[in-house]
Amino acid sequence: MPAFTQFSLLKNRRFLPLLLVQFLGAFNDNFFKNALIILITYQLVTQSLLLQQLSVTIAAGLFILPFFLFSALSGQLADKLSRKHLTIIIKAFECFFMLLAALGFYFHTVSLLMFVLFLMGTHSSFFGPIKYAILPDLLEKKELIAGNALIEASTFIAILLGTLLGGLLVANHADIRLISSIMLFIAGLGLLASFYVPATTKANPDLKLNLHFIQASLKIIQQVKTEKKVFLAILAISWFWLIGATFLTQFPSFAKNILHTNANIITIFLVIFTIGVACGSLICNRLLKHQISMRWIPISLWLMSIFMIDLYFASRHPIDTTKNLISFSAFFYSITHWRICLDLLGLSISGGIYIVPLYTLIQTDTATEHRARTIAANNIINSLFIVIASLIIVFLLKIDLTVIQIFVLLGVINVGVAIYATRLIPQGLIKPLLRSVLKLLYNVELNGFENYKEAGESVVIVANHTSFLDVVLLYAFLPEELLFAINSFTARIWWIRPFLYFSKVFELDPLNPLAIKTLIKEVKKGQKCVIFPEGRITTTGGRRNSTKGRG
């Protein structure tokens, strides 16, 4: 049997139809949205610059508004009904929406086109929970990282192609009938592909629908908050979209006002960013070797900060505004501009590596009966982050911060996120670093590891305490997150405190009879626990008698 690779999923009839539906839908969304924005800017709204800017802003708001209004309902429907049938219905509506868009383009009716943009946002808000909730039903667990990587990569490629083609056709005054035909053809292909999406069992057919969108939205967010790991993953995904939205919306200002380049460079930045995220998504699966693991998240966050901060320093150079804007060909004569492009590429690749395992965690750590509602909660929070970021950026620009100062501010804030992630996921950076240092300084040998693997859950590791280094060795070389039971008096030693920050510690008060009972409860929950029962470092090298405690 040939070895499994992520690209072998492209031949998989369980997965390929869903990928095509997602790709074609994302392409159409961005093709139509960008065509409309360019049409508003250059042809349909010519009365005033302010009216153009307001129209473009309203267009962006209309596309994101449905994610607040309908995500809760879409999540409920995806949990209650057949996801295949819902996909077919959504794609059929997309064909109707594109027909309306064709009429709007033909009659140059801005209000109708704006309404269609709202409808396309609604289409995306309803399909979003389906595409991620159905993946675990279509793929084996070992295929999930690869599946999510391909979904993310194809989505960003579709965004790029749709945005470029839609803008290019309108900017070159292409026939409206050609633009309408492309939209209808792509929507038709998406509908055709939806019929081949495999049928899956209904996750929660007895679910009662809550049609009050505010109440339903708050309810699914409250449900998600009870699952700490999943909620943190959603916040992490939302942080990625906040960074991405900030860069994508500020590229025009960055290119024109900071780098003093013409509009072609904005396109170059868009290509670099989207291709980078797509490549990072695909690289992630190779790094993780099909395993569901968060270990690359801390490193990717640190890399994102490094690239954002370096972008600031690379862009700090005086601009001679008396000259013409720098052309596409002249742009790449400067090493500084190559450095800027490499920073954007590094940032986006790191972002792609960062995002894929987070979606997989949500899929695997959420109960099947409310998985789609969890994805819907993710969409709501993502949208909220993007809107809040937009408002904050407007404020920062109002107080005369430059675009590159906003970029570096994001990079510095991201350092804090990286520190938190490093603490939360020690196997990502801290443990490999410690292992390297310990192997360099000592002749470390790991024997009997098969016994650790066979021990299962609810394990107590009783260690011989020959030095304070024992704790560090166990922490570095054992793969899972261990709970270290440490004497509360020892935990107060100043040089031990930094270690406690990066590990999971149970401070055990030997004078408190209830302390050991609390520790026992943690072990019963499946937590692997490390104890040093002697109470002090051995003087003979052998294990001394265990120190008796109360309770």
Side-chain angles (χ1 to χ4, degrees), residues 313-351:
F313 288 107
S315 307
R316 288 181 67 200
H317 58 274
I319 298 168
D320 184 1
T321 54
T322 61
K323 294 182 179 180
N324 294 329
L325 294 176
I326 299 170
S327 66
F328 174 81
S329 56
F331 180 79
F332 290 101
Y333 281 118
S334 168
I335 294 214
T336 298
H337 293 159
W338 279 102
R339 178 180 167 190
I340 288 168
C341 290
L342 288 173
D343 281 332
L344 289 175
L345 183 63
L347 168 63
S348 55
I349 289 175
S350 303

Side-chain angles (χ1 to χ4, degrees), residues 43-87:
Q43 296 180 38
L44 298 184
V45 181
T46 57
Q47 294 92 328
S48 72
L49 176 62
L50 178 61
L51 193 56
Q52 286 177 8
Q53 292 172 334
L54 284 173
S55 298
V56 170
T57 304
I58 290 168
L62 282 173
F63 188 79
I64 203 169
L65 180 61
F67 287 91
F68 290 105
L69 298 179
F70 304 122
S71 285
L73 177 60
S74 65
Q76 294 176 78
L77 289 173
D79 277 334
K80 181 177 177 66
L81 305 175
S82 164
R83 289 166 184 163
K84 173 178 180 172
H85 293 154
L86 281 173
T87 301

Side-chain angles (χ1 to χ4, degrees), residues 111-127:
S111 56
L112 178 57
L113 290 170
M114 289 288 200
F115 178 60
V116 173
L117 189 61
F118 173 80
L119 293 176
M120 287 303 288
T122 303
H123 150 270
S124 296
S125 70
F126 273 88
F127 184 60

Side-chain angles (χ1 to χ4, degrees), residues 173-236:
H173 303 283
D175 193 325
I176 290 298
R177 288 172 294 184
L178 173 62
I179 295 172
S180 301
S181 298
I182 291 172
M183 293 188 305
L184 286 166
F185 178 68
I186 295 296
L189 285 180
L191 176 61
L192 180 64
S194 69
F195 284 98
Y196 292 91
V197 174
T200 58
T201 56
K202 297 174 184 178
N204 193 351
D206 299 324
L207 178 68
K208 292 182 179 179
L209 298 179
N210 184 347
L211 301 179
H212 192 289
F213 81 92
I214 295 177
Q215 186 183 77
S217 299
L218 292 174
K219 185 176 180 181
I220 62 174
I221 291 172
Q222 286 297 326
Q223 167 65 35
V224 165
K225 287 175 72 176
T226 62
E227 304 173 62
K228 185 180 177 182
K229 281 174 67 177
V230 172
F231 186 60
L232 286 174
I234 289 173
L235 293 179

Side-chain angles (χ1 to χ4, degrees), residues 449-470:
F449 188 61
E450 64 279 1
N451 299 318
Y452 175 85
K453 289 181 177 179
E454 292 170 3
E457 302 293 332
S458 301
V459 172
V460 177
I461 300 164
V462 182
N464 183 14
H465 205 358
T466 57
S467 76
F468 283 117
L469 200 59
D470 298 336

